Amino acid sequence: MSPKITTELLKQLRQVMKNPKYVQEPVQAYIVPSGDAHQSEYIAPCDCRRAFISGFDGSAGTAIVTEQHAAMWTDGRYFLQAAHQMDNNWTLMKMGVKDTPTQEDWLVSVLPEGSKVGVDPFIIPTDQWKRMSKALRSAGHDLVPVKENLIDTIWTDCPQRPCKPLIMLDLSYTGVSWRGKITALRSKMAERKVMWFVVTALDEVAWLFNLRGSDVEYNPVFFAYAVIGMNTIRLFIDGDRMMDPAVREHLQLDSTLEPEFKIQVMPYGSILSELQAVGAGLSPKEKVWLSDKASYALTEAIPKAYRYLTPYTPICIAKAVKNASETEGMRRAHIKDAVALCELFNWLEKEVPKGTVTEIIAADKAEEFRSQQKDFVELSFATISSTGPNGAIIHYKPVPETNRTLSVNEIYLLDSGAQYKDGTTDVTRTMHFGTPSAYEKECFTYVLKGHIAVSAAIFPNGTKGHLLDSFARSALWDCGLDYLHGTGHGVGSFLNVHEGPCGISYKTFADEPLEAGMIVSDEPGYYEDGSFGIRIENVVLVIPAETKYNFKNRGSLTFEPLTLVPIQTKMIDVNLLTQKECNWVNDYHQKCREVVGAELERQGRHEALRWLIRETEPLVRVQ
């Protein structure tokens, strides 16, 4: 894959950094974050500014351009990808690696005295602005808001912002009406003595109103903001999609409602002026609640004394704890997903030895089998279909230039998922279609031991996910191995495949404690650059655990796997497993056989059923 040539683009950007038409005073550095105005992880094409200027299109990264330098900060998932996609105008800054400077420290080291550092105030989260502004100020520099996005001024063929139709979800999927959710939110606002709540994250707007969209690929969200008052609701959204009779009925726009449930629909672009008006009309003790990850521009619209900022919003926390309808939907979605993958792996086992299956063909086939399932909407992220050395690129996506043919001599890693109307899936399996080497089996088994350690963990109520991260690494650490990504992330319910506020990662200690009803992934891995990648991922549900004792009456939790796809037993070195681990694999496979087997039978997929039965034969440890 050849990198994007950025010499001319960087020259144009450096010119507009000095152009009085766009900046009040010249800026000596310009920051290009990877998010959009809603701080989304996955973004619409019109918001891919960092990819446009650098060529690097991973989901996380920040570009900073100065008069002489261009640097890119990203994490361990993307080191290889970024190095491939960027030309030599760029310096890769490997976050989390010793001696890599922070963005602030690097800016201080390269900028002339008294510099101005510009950023679009709509794209930078408030918490990041505060941290950066403070660090730069202490070194004599200023972080300044640049009203017009400078990338947009040089991006001549920038795509239009999407404005696609909406999907309504009824109570059978959501379990709670949008009115019920607004009432619960208002009671949280009353507890904190807050008059207004500003909803800026796209998945929070979608969840609150029981609506879904398709403005962002793989994420069933739509561009909107909401401002909830104690007796008003304002929804900021563009397009004629609000004229759809089904949407109007769902939101009761034409009904005579109690005033506190009447939704005022306003233009998407009017959010800033409306918030400024709210800010101007506040009486002394009234507060406005925002996430500290809301954009700096929106936060600044509310005078400082009236702001109430929290790292996680009440919607974010309510959305993470799935109710009975959502949990049931997620179970159904994962059974359907398992059916599709049994079909796929059965097909691959027959076709790979012929030497005709490429990474792209395998990814397309996975989508084809998923699309046959009821309530399938789209994929939940770009399929990571990687064989041999490509497997070591953690967030690899096959493209024609890198597309390898699957073979009986290499490990194949497939990380894929789907959006069904009743739930979101994300599953990784690593397999060999020939005979794995002893070393490949050894590494796979250490990863499996870590996966089991998390899945079978019992921990007290109130435990944060980051405390479980080292459970997944212990077997690898024992042998001097490790992996450079977190172990798990929250998963939405027919929403974003990555969601807060919970997760299992050494990278954050700001996660919220795990509680029953939360859904996270369990996905340790091991990657050998230039050779192979191994990852085993299930989506798991947090459930109460029965324990012999109950210290301080606080109760315990554990996980129940929702993903029910066999783990390839020929990749396992059974002698490295304890009896307890062996039992876990056998119990898991028994459940796959019973639950998914029944659905394969019901759908008349007999060949895939025979494959499932073969792949779930019990492991036997030689004593």
Side-chain angles (χ1 to χ4, degrees):
M1 191 196 304
S2 50
K4 178 170 181 171
I5 307 303
T6 59
T7 309
E8 185 54 34
L9 289 176
L10 288 170
K11 189 177 151 193
Q12 290 173 22
L13 178 60
R14 288 172 174 135
Q15 280 165 352
V16 293
M17 283 162 61
K18 295 184 275 222
N19 187 335
K21 190 175 158 192
Y22 304 115
V23 287
Q24 284 176 322
E25 290 179 70
V27 293
Q28 284 70 47
Y30 189 64
I31 301 170
V32 187
S34 67
D36 57 14
H38 303 267
Q39 285 60 57
S40 313
E41 179 186 12
Y42 293 100
I43 54 181
C46 58
D47 289 314
C48 296
R49 299 178 179 94
R50 187 251 304 148
F52 169 76
I53 193 67
S54 69
F56 166 56
D57 64 3
S59 67
T62 301
I64 303 184
V65 177
T66 68
E67 286 159 340
Q68 259 89 46
H69 307 273
M72 176 70 67
W73 279 259
T74 191
D75 63 60
R77 293 172 298 169
Y78 292 119
F79 292 165
L80 289 178
Q81 183 180 330
H84 286 159
Q85 291 183 325
M86 297 191 307
D87 67 8
N88 55 15
N89 286 306
W90 291 85
T91 305
L92 176 58
M93 298 292 187
K94 298 182 174 182
M95 291 163 71
V97 172
K98 201 170 171 282
D99 300 332
T100 299
T102 62
Q103 293 165 28
E104 297 88 338
D105 287 347
W106 180 80
L107 280 165
V108 168
S109 73
V110 300
L111 287 176
E113 254 175 63
S115 287
K116 300 238 179 308
V117 177
V119 67
D120 179 344
F122 273 95
I123 308 293
I124 187 167
T126 302
D127 59 345
Q128 204 180 323
W129 173 284
K130 282 182 178 167
R131 199 174 57 242
M132 207 155 208
S133 180
K134 190 177 170 187
L136 289 171
R137 208 167 39 247
S138 67
H141 306 296
D142 275 327
L143 185 61
V144 296
V146 179
K147 240 195 189 119
E148 186 153 3
N149 191 291
L150 297 186
I151 300 294
D152 293 355
T153 66
I154 63 168
W155 191 356
T156 48
D157 56 351
C158 179
Q160 286 282 300
R161 182 162 302 284
C163 192
K164 296 181 181 165
L166 302 176
I167 300 169
M168 285 60 66
L169 290 183
D170 63 37
L171 279 176
S172 66
Y173 293 109
T174 66
V176 183
S177 69
W178 64 262
R179 292 173 60 151
K181 290 177 177 182
I182 297 267
T183 303
L185 174 61
R186 284 177 173 150
S187 70
K188 291 283 182 198
M189 289 161 63
E191 275 172 28
R192 311 280 180 110
K193 300 184 171 50
V194 164
M195 290 298 291
W196 300 90
F197 180 82
V198 185
V199 195
T200 55
L202 298 182
D203 61 335
E204 294 189 16
V205 178
W207 180 87
L208 184 62
F209 291 102
N210 290 339
L211 289 169
R212 299 293 186 268
S214 56
D215 286 357
V216 179
E217 196 178 15
Y218 311 122
N219 299 260
V221 295
F222 50 92
F223 285 105
Y225 296 97
V227 177
I228 312 298
M230 273 310 192
N231 43 31
T232 61
I233 303 169
R234 295 180 208 179
L235 178 61
F236 298 82
I237 185 167
D238 275 349
D240 55 6
R241 47 194 174 182
M242 299 312 284
M243 302 315 292
D244 177 346
V247 175
R248 298 191 74 79
E249 190 183 334
H250 175 83
L251 296 175
Q252 297 174 284
L253 295 179
D254 304 313
S255 314
T256 317
L257 286 175
E258 308 91 306
E260 67 268 28
F261 289 116
K262 193 83 186 143
I263 298 173
Q264 292 168 266
V265 178
M266 310 187 99
Y268 174 72
S270 66
I271 179 70
L272 186 61
S273 54
E274 285 292 322
L275 265 190
Q276 284 165 337
V278 165
L282 292 166
S283 54
K285 288 206 165 153
E286 291 183 349
K287 295 266 186 195
V288 178
W289 194 344
L290 295 120
S291 161
D292 67 4
K293 286 165 196 59
S295 72
Y296 177 70
L298 292 190
T299 306
E300 279 296 292
I302 305 298
K304 201 168 181 180
Y306 298 95
R307 287 178 213 156
Y308 180 69
L309 301 184
T310 56
Y312 296 111
T313 70
I315 299 180
C316 179
I317 292 163
K319 176 167 61 63
V321 181
K322 313 300 188 259
N323 62 39
S325 303
E326 291 169 320
T327 304
E328 211 31 63
M330 287 292 266
R331 280 188 215 283
R332 284 197 305 273
H334 282 83
I335 293 167
K336 291 184 287 197
D337 215 51
V339 166
L341 288 177
C342 288
E343 283 278 22
L344 175 75
F345 294 140
N346 173 56
W347 183 83
L348 286 174
E349 279 193 359
K350 291 184 304 188
E351 299 299 321
V352 167
K354 298 176 187 172
T356 54
V357 181
T358 64
E359 293 167 333
I360 292 176
I361 288 171
D364 290 347
K365 200 72 182 170
E367 182 170 4
E368 183 191 314
F369 283 127
R370 283 188 163 106
S371 69
Q372 295 166 6
Q373 294 300 312
K374 183 176 177 246
D375 277 347
F376 171 84
V377 178
E378 63 173 338
L379 300 183
S380 54
F381 55 96
T383 300
I384 301 169
S385 171
S386 53
T387 184
N390 288 343
I393 302 170
I394 295 166
H395 268 207
Y396 171 82
K397 179 184 178 221
V399 291
E401 300 85 66
T402 62
N403 190 20
R404 279 177 84 85
T405 301
L406 277 60
S407 86
V408 293
N409 306 314
E410 290 182 339
I411 287 180
Y412 176 62
L413 183 157
L414 180 77
D415 183 347
S416 61
Q419 298 286 3
Y420 301 94
K421 224 172 153 185
D422 43 10
T424 302
T425 67
D426 180 2
V427 48
T428 310
R429 289 294 179 265
T430 305
M431 46 207 348
H432 204 295
F433 299 106
T435 307
S437 70
Y439 177 61
E440 288 167 341
K441 287 173 70 168
E442 182 187 3
C443 293
F444 182 93
T445 309
Y446 296 145
V447 172
L448 175 61
K449 286 167 82 74
H451 177 92
I452 295 169
V454 171
S455 197
I458 295 174
F459 47 93
N461 254 313
T463 300
K464 290 187 171 190
H466 69 256
L467 287 177
L468 304 179
D469 184 76
S470 51
F471 287 34
R473 296 175 198 272
S474 180
L476 287 160
W477 283 352
D478 279 349
C479 305
L481 302 178
D482 200 2
Y483 54 96
L484 294 178
H485 58 76
T487 299
H489 54 82
V491 179
S493 186
F494 184 29
L495 261 179
N496 296 358
V497 74
H498 292 166
E499 72 168 20
C502 53
I504 303 173
S505 178
Y506 64 97
K507 294 180 182 184
T508 178
F509 301 132
D511 47 330
E512 284 288 301
L514 294 168
E515 56 180 289
M518 286 182 169
I519 292 178
V520 294
S521 67
D522 169 11
E523 51 179 312
Y526 175 65
Y527 311 89
E528 202 138 300
D529 289 357
S531 298
F532 62 81
I534 294 165
R535 184 160 63 254
I536 303 170
E537 174 186 22
N538 281 352
V539 169
V540 296
L541 170 69
V542 183
I543 58 169
E546 294 298 320
T547 51
K548 187 177 179 185
Y549 302 113
N550 189 5
F551 180 72
K552 301 279 188 204
N553 219 24
R554 67 184 175 185
S556 293
L557 300 169
T558 187
F559 296 113
E560 174 201 325
L562 295 178
T563 306
L564 295 173
V565 178
I567 294 163
Q568 195 180 43
T569 51
K570 79 158 132 175
M571 285 291 289
I572 302 171
D573 181 345
V574 184
N575 299 320
L576 294 176
L577 295 182
T578 63
Q579 189 58 53
K580 204 172 167 187
E581 289 165 337
C582 213
N583 294 346
W584 184 94
V585 173
N586 289 340
D587 292 347
Y588 177 70
H589 278 161
Q590 183 60 30
K591 189 173 180 186
C592 292
R593 187 183 277 199
E594 286 169 10
V595 176
V596 182
E599 185 61 19
L600 283 164
E601 184 75 60
R602 198 185 68 74
Q603 293 190 23
R605 297 175 183 270
H606 300 298
E607 198 181 321
L609 175 58
R610 288 194 291 278
W611 177 88
L612 172 70
I613 289 166
R614 280 199 311 277
E615 289 295 310
T616 51
E617 284 297 318
L619 290 176
V620 181
R621 278 178 84 242
V622 182
Q623 296 300 331

